[in-house]
Amino acid sequence: MDAVLFDMDGLLVDTEKVWFEVETEVVERLGGSWGPEHGAALVGGSWDRTVDYMLALTGADVPPGTVGAWLLDGMIERLAVEVEPMPGALELLAELNGAGVRTGLVTSSLKPVADAVLEVVGRHRFAIVVTADDVARTKPDPEPYLTAARLLSAWPECCAVLEDSPNGVAAATAAGCRVVAVPSVVPIPAVPGRLVVPSLLEVDLSVLRALF
């Protein structure tokens, strides 16, 4: 195992509820309404997909860039006070850092959102960070995880990935990484070669090494 790569939203930090609050506000501003089924449809998706979904849902005549700015401003404002690490996340990072295992953060969120989270979690915990601003194609495309492996000079097959969404799991699997799924909003089935656990409290260095 050369490295361990963490997703961010819903895996490292409990931001799904923050996303839902911001999405609800933006859609209401567009003249529509938002429910859990809409949020679940976008878990692990890209920023552009979220904006397109909202505009299609509401039929609002608003430029995509404006909707994206509303989302970004709302997230940054809330993340300054509402970031909560997921149970076991900081403990796992501390164990990996202490053992000298390289770690990376790989997220479909934009860089300003990741920066706001890292202010709380600690940028020093990660050797590299890959955001939506760093790739041409976001999850479920494998590019984010292939990019992370390249930045770490690691083989994707020697990287363990921790993910909470089907899109993230698909991206990591397509990149050739070993995957631990910790489902948050959307269920993820257990299949050969994929470990599914209820929380990061079930994951430690020995569990990750056993994947290899």
Side-chain angles (χ1 to χ4, degrees):
M1 184 174 71
D2 283 344
V4 178
L5 306 176
F6 287 72
D7 175 50
M8 187 177 78
D9 296 299
L11 184 285
L12 178 67
V13 288
D14 187 10
T15 50
E16 296 301 349
K17 61 183 180 183
V18 181
W19 270 110
F20 185 77
E21 291 172 3
V22 174
E23 289 165 347
T24 299
E25 286 185 359
V26 170
V27 169
E28 288 178 350
R29 193 170 179 178
L30 291 170
S33 60
W34 194 253
E37 70 278 11
H38 300 300
L42 296 172
V43 171
S46 70
W47 198 271
D48 289 341
R49 179 167 173 258
T50 298
V51 171
D52 291 344
Y53 185 98
M54 290 177 168
L55 288 173
L57 177 69
T58 62
D61 185 19
V62 178
T66 299
V67 178
W70 292 346
L71 283 169
L72 184 59
D73 290 345
M75 285 299 292
I76 297 300
E77 180 181 346
R78 278 178 169 77
L79 289 175
V81 295
E82 293 188 37
V83 175
E84 291 183 23
M86 295 296 283
L90 297 187
E91 293 82 355
L92 178 57
L93 276 168
E95 182 183 15
L96 295 172
N97 293 157
V101 177
R102 294 179 299 167
T103 57
L105 183 68
V106 183
T107 176
S108 293
S109 287
L110 298 176
K111 185 177 184 298
V113 175
D115 287 343
V117 169
L118 290 170
E119 281 293 316
V120 176
V121 174
R123 174 65 177 79
H124 65 283
R125 297 178 184 272
F126 299 97
I128 58 98
V129 175
V130 177
T131 73
D133 292 309
D134 301 312
V135 295
R137 296 171 299 278
T138 56
K139 305 170 189 178
D141 192 277
E143 183 181 353
Y145 283 112
L146 293 175
T147 299
R150 176 175 54 78
L151 291 173
L152 290 167
S153 297
W155 293 105
E157 296 83 359
C158 296
C159 294
V161 168
L162 296 154
E163 270 284 356
D164 75 303
S165 72
N167 275 342
V169 166
T173 301
C177 305
R178 306 295 173 92
V179 181
V180 178
V182 190
S184 57
V185 177
V186 181
I188 299 173
V191 298
R194 176 193 304 160
L195 176 63
V196 180
V197 296
S199 116
L200 288 177
L201 293 170
E202 306 291 325
V203 183
D204 60 16
L205 180 54
S206 64
V207 168
L208 294 173
R209 283 182 169 156
L211 296 172
F212 298 85

